[in-house]
Amino acid sequence: MARKPSKSGSSGSFISRRNIVRGLIGLFSVLLLIFIINSPLLKIGYVKVTGNSYLPREDVLEIARIKEPLNIFSVQTDVVQNYLQSDLRIDTAKVWRDFPNCLNIEITERLPVAVMNCNYGYINLDKNSVVIDVYTDVKKIQKPVITGVILQDVYIGDNINNDTVKKVLVYLGLLSNDVLGQVRQINIADKEHIELYTVKGTRIILGNLNDAEKLAGKTQEIFNDMNSTAIPLEYIDLSYSRPVLKIKQ
């Protein structure tokens, strides 16, 4: 009696073809992924940085360890965010992608309100008395300079413990950006007779700064008045309950 044809040969052939198809699909998927990762279409054309007013864009990218151009899939946003938030000059940071070719970096800065001399150059201080930057180039000074004291051996991240300096920084932190930009120097050589000098050369006597909030309010009003009048002033004394003004002769 004749035997029926065996199905094992055709079954094995079918399994073999199926494995080949799966292998080809897998290889194609890998090649497609490699193409996508290296595709010029996914190179970040622009890294958008927002929220920075003190830090230049280039510094933000350096802190984030980003070099342009780079592939959008090669960026680990959480890692970049940690790099940014580990820098003392940055309070908070958010990093996210906008497909197909943009990386967004949004930061909130720790802004300097004053500059002080130290034994090796200059330091920027925020309103909380924290050193947020150090440098030696005088051209980088952009904020009021606190004079009368030279700090020794202070570095980024240090907190200044001088009580008079702390009072001045709190006071400056309460001023508007517009008024702060009109302050050139604050002399604290005599802590009971602290003096402020404007960019126009007007001297303002602040006194001991024991009530920084009240004094900052007076300062705001005085600057508003000075900006609305052309009368040249020699000095303004805010240490009294009512400001005392002396007009230049």
Side-chain angles (χ1 to χ4, degrees), residues 85-96:
Q85 291 184 161
S86 65
D87 191 284
L88 201 65
R89 293 167 292 180
I90 297 174
D91 188 18
T92 61
K94 287 176 61 181
V95 182
W96 72 98

Side-chain angles (χ1 to χ4, degrees), residues 77-187:
T77 54
D78 56 338
V79 173
V80 173
Q81 188 167 301
N82 287 335
Y83 285 149
L84 291 165
Q85 291 184 161
S86 65
D87 191 284
L88 201 65
R89 293 167 292 180
I90 297 174
D91 188 18
T92 61
K94 287 176 61 181
V95 182
W96 72 98
R97 300 180 182 91
D98 270 342
F99 289 99
N101 63 348
C102 183
L103 184 73
N104 287 283
I105 295 176
E106 180 183 327
I107 65 170
T108 302
E109 297 172 306
R110 296 183 191 273
L111 295 174
V113 295
V115 178
M116 288 193 74
N117 287 95
C118 65
N119 55 315
Y120 57 85
Y122 307 94
I123 60 171
N124 284 347
L125 296 158
D126 73 356
K127 63 183 180 181
N128 297 314
S129 307
V130 177
V131 180
I132 59 175
D133 201 6
V134 299
Y135 49 93
T136 57
D137 186 357
V138 69
K139 294 180 181 178
K140 290 185 67 176
I141 294 177
Q142 300 177 5
K143 298 296 179 180
V145 179
I146 300 174
T147 61
V149 172
I150 296 177
L151 300 174
Q152 301 292 323
D153 300 323
V154 288
Y155 304 95
I156 289 178
D158 287 353
N159 197 298
I160 305 304
N161 292 317
N162 184 299
D163 288 338
T164 305
V165 172
K166 285 186 174 183
K167 289 179 182 179
V168 172
L169 294 170
V170 170
Y171 162 78
L172 292 174
L174 292 168
L175 301 180
S176 68
N177 289 332
D178 181 59
V179 170
L180 191 64
Q182 298 177 64
V183 179
R184 186 188 71 201
Q185 175 187 333
I186 294 185
N187 189 290

Side-chain angles (χ1 to χ4, degrees), residues 38-109:
N38 292 283
S39 172
L41 296 175
L42 297 173
K43 294 289 186 180
I44 293 176
Y46 182 68
V47 179
K48 185 179 180 182
V49 178
T50 57
N52 60 313
S53 58
Y54 166 64
L55 283 170
R57 179 177 182 274
E58 294 73 20
D59 286 7
V60 175
L61 296 184
E62 184 178 348
I63 296 166
R65 303 185 190 181
I66 287 177
K67 293 182 179 180
E68 298 176 291
L70 73 163
N71 191 286
I72 196 165
F73 284 111
S74 69
V75 178
Q76 294 178 277
T77 54
D78 56 338
V79 173
V80 173
Q81 188 167 301
N82 287 335
Y83 285 149
L84 291 165
Q85 291 184 161
S86 65
D87 191 284
L88 201 65
R89 293 167 292 180
I90 297 174
D91 188 18
T92 61
K94 287 176 61 181
V95 182
W96 72 98
R97 300 180 182 91
D98 270 342
F99 289 99
N101 63 348
C102 183
L103 184 73
N104 287 283
I105 295 176
E106 180 183 327
I107 65 170
T108 302
E109 297 172 306

